[in-house]
Amino acid sequence: MHPKASGAGEESEGPSPNAPHAAEALLADLLSNTADLVSFYDRDFRLTHYAARLKGMYGGAVVQGAAIWEIYPGFLDSSCRDEFLRVFQGGSPASIDLPRASGEAPRSVFVFGTANGVGIIESREHAGRSAAEEQEHVVLLHQATHDVLTGLQNRRRFGERLQQALAAVGGSKPKAALLQIDLDDFKTVNDTLGHGAGDALLQLAAGRIRDALQDGESAYRYAGDEFAVIQLGKEQPVEAERLAGSLVNAFKDPFVIDGIPVFVGSSIGIAFGPDHGTDGEQLMKAADIALYAAKTDGRGCARTFNRSMLLLLEQRENLRRSLRTALERGELYLDYQPLVRPPSSVVGFEALLRWRHPEVGIIPPSVFIPIAEADGLMDEIGRWVLEQACRQALTWPPSLTVAVNLSPAQFLSGSLTDTVAQIVDEVGIRAERIELEITETVLLEKTIDNIDTLNTLNVLGIRISLDDFGTYYSSLSYLKNFPFDTLKIDQYFIADLETDLKSQTIVRSIINLAHGLGISVTAEGVETSAQARWLINESCDCLQGNFLGRPLGAEATSDFIRRSPPKVVRAMEGSNRAL
Ligand code: C2E
Ligand code: MG
Ligand code: MG
């Protein structure tokens, strides 16, 4: 029982008929027993007292201090706002018809002025239903407006509430805030652990969102792994940013599903009405653009919509259009970065894709590969990269290998092994000279097929590297189950090797672990001689990074091979000294 409905605290002091707490006690009795939905609000439109049944009817929105429009959003509608305000400002009591949301029966409420504000009686007999019918009606209404899986309000209710919220902020203040929330990596969990785990994750995620909410904030499951929160009557933008911050934090801890800890962050886009949109669709679009910005800014963060985001989106659209023709126009090319085996030998090169855009200039792969993947272009581009890299490697001394990065899209196409075998055959290169680099994200999808694919490539004689190790799941079961030849330690751990003891411990452990499994180790992003020395001392098999050689174009690579790179020799000379 809620405190004001029962009034238990005041009651127990022993009522005397005329004392104020006796009146409170009477009111409490009335509120806990009446079949009608009675509620009282103060001059700030905040809920002060309410009938027990109101909570049964309207659920979480009913808390002391809640704004009247969180319980009766209909009052925001212009059709009954004026009449409501007339009573509120001291006018005679009135029965007001509430605007009907879809699926809801017609409802009217009786509004009357009180000493402190206003009272509302919503009569349940009014609809002429028996208690059983009413119960059934409540259940049906709940089903129609709530998501079965998470219990949050559903997309339909979201649309209605958003419109109502925007109607309430007709002027410039107060603002309504829309927070669009998207789970990072949800698809991965669904694909790898199954839909049951995906559902469990959505339920847990909904719980964390619900727990972060305060008065005046309501959450919705909008679609799949997309959630939304509407905030009304708050100081903005501070309150939306505060809530976004606590939501991002709420997703920092792992979710435990079937005993497995799963890390799934949240990205959030914020937009304010009426500034960023005067109707629901506009506001959702603005929040969506802000969400996209949060995703591209590294995810696990929140961004508020601003107009310059539109410019970025337009640029991305332009890029997307011109990427479709980039391959046939010869705008894609490869750089090659040396892979160096201590003491001083270049053993091969990694092919790194670039796009020379006619107007923008050179665009790095981190910008355009995600677009190519989303647009289904990566399979074709990946094939071109492999063929181009193999042809280039044929011009090098036959001992040198070429490493080529594979995107998950190439794995999912199902024809990867055929494509690789075909290219090896056409180009006439020895398969042993090719090393394919994959990241753990590739392995997360469709695991059984992936083992087959990797095994077939292995049988062909092609070597497989696990790229960016340490940044994703770093699952040891991958090392056990997949036939890797090389493990590439991500540059994140190499960058602070000179100062960070933890990075040193991690890198040392990875090297030992890999060696124990018969896997060779390459360190990525080696930028200083001290890093190189430390790694060599720890028996790292191969080094890659700007200190040993930056990525170079095809011609410059051939020159590099002809010259003996002096820096490499210098780095290795000091290899016996510790950091
Ligand atoms: P990656 O495979 O981990 O490649 C290494 C990245 O680190 C390259 O960035 C390289 O230029 C950069 N790098 C090398 N040495 C240093 C260093 O000393 N310091 C720093 N800060 N960075 C260094 P790049 O070329 O921008 O490539 C980024 C990522 O794009 C690659 O990461 C790879 O995942 C992807 N990528 C590149 N080419 C292809 C491709 O042909 N196909 C696919 N699917 N992905 C590619
Ligand atoms: Mg790579
Ligand atoms: Mg890497």
Side-chain angles (χ1 to χ4, degrees):
M1 189 73 58
H2 44 84
K4 286 295 170 183
S6 71
E10 289 112 313
E11 228 176 346
S12 60
E13 286 171 21
S16 90
N18 298 317
H21 41 264
E24 277 281 339
L26 273 177
L27 179 62
D29 276 348
L30 173 76
L31 291 174
S32 40
N33 291 308
T34 177
D36 290 334
L37 304 174
V38 183
S39 50
F40 293 93
Y41 304 83
D42 64 15
R43 293 250 141 240
D44 294 325
F45 305 104
R46 299 281 167 192
L47 182 64
T48 56
H49 299 74
Y50 54 94
R53 300 195 65 200
L54 193 77
K55 198 164 186 74
M57 190 62 161
Y58 296 115
V62 180
V63 282
Q64 235 193 325
I68 191 166
W69 46 77
E70 289 169 58
I71 299 161
Y72 291 109
F75 283 133
L76 299 170
D77 201 282
S78 53
S79 62
C80 55
R81 187 173 49 204
D82 295 347
E83 181 66 351
F84 170 75
L85 288 176
R86 189 189 59 71
V87 179
F88 183 76
Q89 280 150 9
S92 52
S95 180
I96 300 177
D97 291 328
L98 293 174
R100 276 173 75 177
S102 53
E104 283 181 9
R107 287 191 303 154
S108 65
V109 291
F110 183 71
V111 185
F112 55 98
T114 65
N116 302 322
V118 72
I120 293 179
I121 302 174
E122 184 182 354
S123 171
R124 298 323 286 163
E125 274 75 61
H126 181 85
R129 281 188 282 262
S130 69
E133 282 167 344
E134 188 192 313
Q135 186 61 31
E136 190 183 353
H137 173 75
V138 170
V139 170
L140 286 176
L141 185 63
H142 191 272
Q143 280 172 356
T145 54
H146 287 73
D147 169 42
V148 181
L149 182 67
T150 62
L152 293 183
Q153 300 181 75
N154 63 16
R155 183 191 187 112
R156 196 177 96 188
R157 178 62 76 99
F158 169 69
E160 289 166 0
R161 291 290 189 255
L162 192 59
Q163 290 298 3
Q164 286 162 346
L166 283 166
V169 292
S172 58
K173 264 188 152 185
K175 289 175 178 176
L178 170 61
L179 289 83
Q180 205 113 290
I181 307 161
D182 190 275
L183 306 190
D184 304 329
D185 292 319
F186 172 70
K187 188 177 174 305
T188 313
V189 174
N190 223 16
D191 290 350
T192 53
L193 300 177
H195 289 274
D199 283 356
L201 175 62
L202 289 172
Q203 286 170 333
L204 293 172
R208 289 200 190 173
I209 294 173
R210 210 184 274 121
D211 289 347
L213 299 185
Q214 298 179 355
D215 293 347
E217 300 167 348
S218 45
Y220 306 82
R221 176 164 173 232
Y222 171 68
D225 64 335
E226 291 169 35
F227 297 86
V229 172
I230 299 174
Q231 255 188 341
L232 264 180
K234 299 252 169 175
E235 178 74 23
Q236 298 297 7
V238 261
E239 283 296 310
E241 282 160 9
R242 176 204 49 79
L243 174 61
S246 42
L247 285 168
V248 165
N249 275 338
F251 280 77
K252 291 242 157 91
D253 289 336
F255 293 89
V256 180
I257 295 168
D258 296 337
I260 304 169
V262 180
F263 286 90
V264 172
S266 68
S267 298
I268 300 177
I270 308 170
F272 297 105
D275 312 29
H276 304 144
T278 46
D279 68 39
E281 210 168 301
Q282 269 178 358
L283 195 64
M284 278 165 65
K285 192 149 186 225
D288 212 44
I289 290 170
L291 174 61
Y292 171 74
K295 289 264 177 200
T296 46
D297 277 2
R299 326 204 296 177
C301 61
R303 293 287 175 267
T304 300
F305 175 81
N306 66 53
R307 310 264 162 216
S308 62
M309 286 176 180
L310 284 175
L311 205 71
L312 286 179
L313 198 74
E314 197 183 300
Q315 282 168 355
R316 185 183 152 98
E317 276 313 307
N318 288 339
L319 279 192
R320 181 192 298 273
R321 268 194 295 278
S322 40
L323 186 56
R324 295 203 161 267
T325 51
L327 192 55
E328 62 202 51
R329 289 191 188 160
E331 291 167 9
L332 299 184
Y333 70 96
L334 297 176
D335 271 351
Y336 298 90
Q337 185 172 36
L339 297 156
V340 177
R341 186 178 291 275
S344 64
S345 44
V346 173
V347 288
F349 291 85
E350 176 176 1
L352 295 163
L353 184 59
R354 274 97 183 85
W355 177 12
R356 191 182 289 108
H357 189 284
E359 286 130 39
V360 181
I362 292 169
I363 303 175
S366 53
V367 173
F368 71 87
I369 287 182
I371 304 179
E373 279 174 345
D375 279 13
L377 300 172
M378 209 45 219
D379 202 20
E380 193 190 345
I381 293 177
R383 193 196 148 92
W384 176 85
V385 170
L386 183 61
E387 181 172 344
Q388 187 69 16
C390 289
R391 289 196 188 284
Q392 195 59 40
L394 271 192
T395 69
W396 304 336
S399 62
L400 294 182
T401 60
V402 64
V404 175
N405 293 284
L406 290 186
S407 97
Q410 291 169 272
F411 254 76
L412 289 175
S413 76
S415 58
L416 181 69
T417 46
D418 290 349
T419 307
V420 173
Q422 203 186 351
I423 290 174
V424 169
D425 200 44
E426 270 174 28
V427 175
I429 189 171
R430 274 187 299 117
E432 295 74 37
R433 293 186 62 191
I434 304 172
E435 184 141 7
L436 296 178
E437 297 195 0
I438 60 171
T439 55
E440 280 172 281
T441 38
V442 168
L443 303 178
L444 286 172
E445 314 214 8
K446 293 192 6 191
T447 306
I448 299 202
D449 290 0
N450 285 338
I451 296 190
D452 284 352
T453 306
L454 291 181
N455 280 331
T456 311
L457 291 170
N458 220 288
V459 169
L460 286 175
I462 283 166
R463 289 194 284 171
I464 313 286
S465 308
L466 184 55
D467 204 354
D468 302 343
F469 189 76
T471 50
Y472 295 95
Y473 289 75
S474 307
S475 164
L476 299 184
S477 67
Y478 294 141
L479 297 184
K480 181 166 179 271
N481 295 322
F482 292 98
F484 296 116
D485 299 282
T486 307
L487 200 151
K488 298 186 76 172
I489 305 177
D490 194 78
Q491 45 181 279
Y492 174 79
F493 299 103
I494 310 299
D496 58 5
L497 209 47
E498 287 161 64
T499 51
D500 193 306
L501 286 177
K502 285 187 185 156
S503 285
Q504 291 181 10
T505 306
I506 290 169
V507 171
R508 189 179 290 124
S509 309
I510 295 177
I511 294 173
N512 290 336
L513 174 71
H515 284 173
L517 295 166
I519 300 172
S520 153
V521 180
T522 299
E524 299 186 272
V526 180
E527 289 184 342
T528 67
S529 65
Q531 290 165 354
R533 280 202 306 274
W534 190 90
L535 288 159
I536 293 166
N537 241 1
E538 294 294 332
S539 309
C540 184
D541 304 280
C542 198
L543 310 184
Q544 177 183 7
N546 292 345
F547 175 70
L548 301 124
R550 290 177 182 275
L552 299 169
E555 253 180 58
T557 302
S558 299
D559 288 347
F560 181 92
I561 293 170
R562 273 191 291 275
R563 280 181 282 117
S564 155
K567 255 189 170 178
V568 175
V569 177
R570 267 213 312 277
M572 306 313 158
E573 275 168 358
S575 65
N576 291 332
R577 269 177 282 145
L579 268 182

